[in-house]
Amino acid sequence: MWFIVDDQMADDRRIRRLPLATVGLWVKLCVIHSKGISMQAKDPAAYPGYFDKLDLKDAGGTMKQLQQLIDMGLMEEHGGGWRPVYAEGICKEPKTLTEEQREARRKAGSKGGRRKAANQKAKQPSSNLLANSQANGEQNGSETGSETSSNLLEDSQAKTWHKTDTDADIPSPTPPASISKQTDTPDAGFDRFAEAYPGSVGLKGRKTEAEARALYAAIAGNPVELGRLQTALRRYKHAVNDGQIRTGHIPRLNTWLRDQWETWAPEPISPPPIHKHTWNCEHVHQLMDPHEDEYDHTGSLRNGNPSEWWKACQACAEELNQQQTSKEKQ
């Protein structure tokens, strides 16, 4: 995926008002986000859709610079972090191709390449066609010495023109039988994760590799935790590539999964608190206010003698709470 900068970007007043270092940070953050979106198209857990404070630090930026970008309308808060705002005259939103579109482009490129080769072959001089035909005949053993040069030339030209005029008989390339598409099984997920890890995993089947596989499976069972793990690996690789962690200090994968990965992961997002209905909450009022005149309001809850209106509202709140509990169990 490409991060596309408009050719009028340098003349835009929003860019001209920013320090040069902040503009450079904006470019780096936009590239990080575009790369993450590209990874997300292949693996939704690889990127949460925004960059966070650690990504900002890895890019060499500060919160002051980020605030400058937000004030200029070039960044916005999203999820647990921030993402670029694609503004007219500055940058354009990148396009993510689906797997079907990628495959269609690959086939179109392959078909165009075959057609170009056929056209070039059709334009060769007769002497080259004759030489190629004779060479093919000697290699395959399909031509005999009794055939004349004119027949060889005619056969070669006929084959070439046939390929030039139609693509119906040109076979599409098929992948080798040994190459199989990756599946989303836990083992395949671990293999891809282990391949991306910058350190050692250990010999397959040995204790360290088996422990790492079991730890990964326990984490990957929860989609939320798997997303945090993927982010933690991405951050850890950044730190290794930037030299923050020496190569000799990288632990084996089982040790990292057991003791260190959570220190590199974003904070878990706590679920929103569940609303508990009370006799005076807005949901009860929406249901009961149209019938308020049907109940007696005399009484005092403080004195232990609640009114009929309070009892009806309280019963409504309890019924709403029971319905909510039933939905959560389902």
Side-chain angles (χ1 to χ4, degrees), residues 280-292:
N280 200 31
C281 76
E282 59 177 345
H283 305 97
V284 172
H285 274 292
Q286 289 175 0
L287 296 174
M288 295 299 297
D289 282 356
H291 308 283
E292 184 175 1

Side-chain angles (χ1 to χ4, degrees), residues 211-269:
E211 182 184 5
R213 192 177 291 272
L215 290 169
Y216 175 86
I219 299 170
N222 185 333
V224 176
E225 290 298 288
L226 177 60
R228 295 180 65 225
L229 178 62
Q230 296 283 1
T231 303
L233 177 61
R234 180 168 56 87
R235 292 174 171 180
Y236 190 71
K237 288 180 66 177
H238 278 319
V240 172
N241 294 336
D242 292 344
Q244 300 177 26
I245 299 176
R246 297 181 185 177
T247 305
H249 291 179
I250 302 175
R252 286 195 173 182
L253 180 56
N254 63 315
T255 303
W256 188 80
L257 287 172
R258 186 178 62 245
D259 303 327
Q260 298 186 17
W261 79 270
E262 288 189 290
T263 62
W264 296 92
E267 292 295 327
I269 300 175

Side-chain angles (χ1 to χ4, degrees), residues 277-280 284-285 288 291-292 294-321:
H277 300 283
T278 63
W279 75 273
N280 200 31
V284 172
H285 274 292
M288 295 299 297
H291 308 283
E292 184 175 1
E294 302 173 11
Y295 296 90
D296 185 8
H297 287 256
T298 58
S300 173
L301 180 63
R302 182 177 299 178
N303 296 332
N305 183 29
S307 65
E308 293 297 326
W309 168 247
W310 183 91
K311 292 179 181 178
C313 291
Q314 183 64 21
C316 179
E318 292 175 357
E319 183 177 354
L320 290 175
N321 287 327

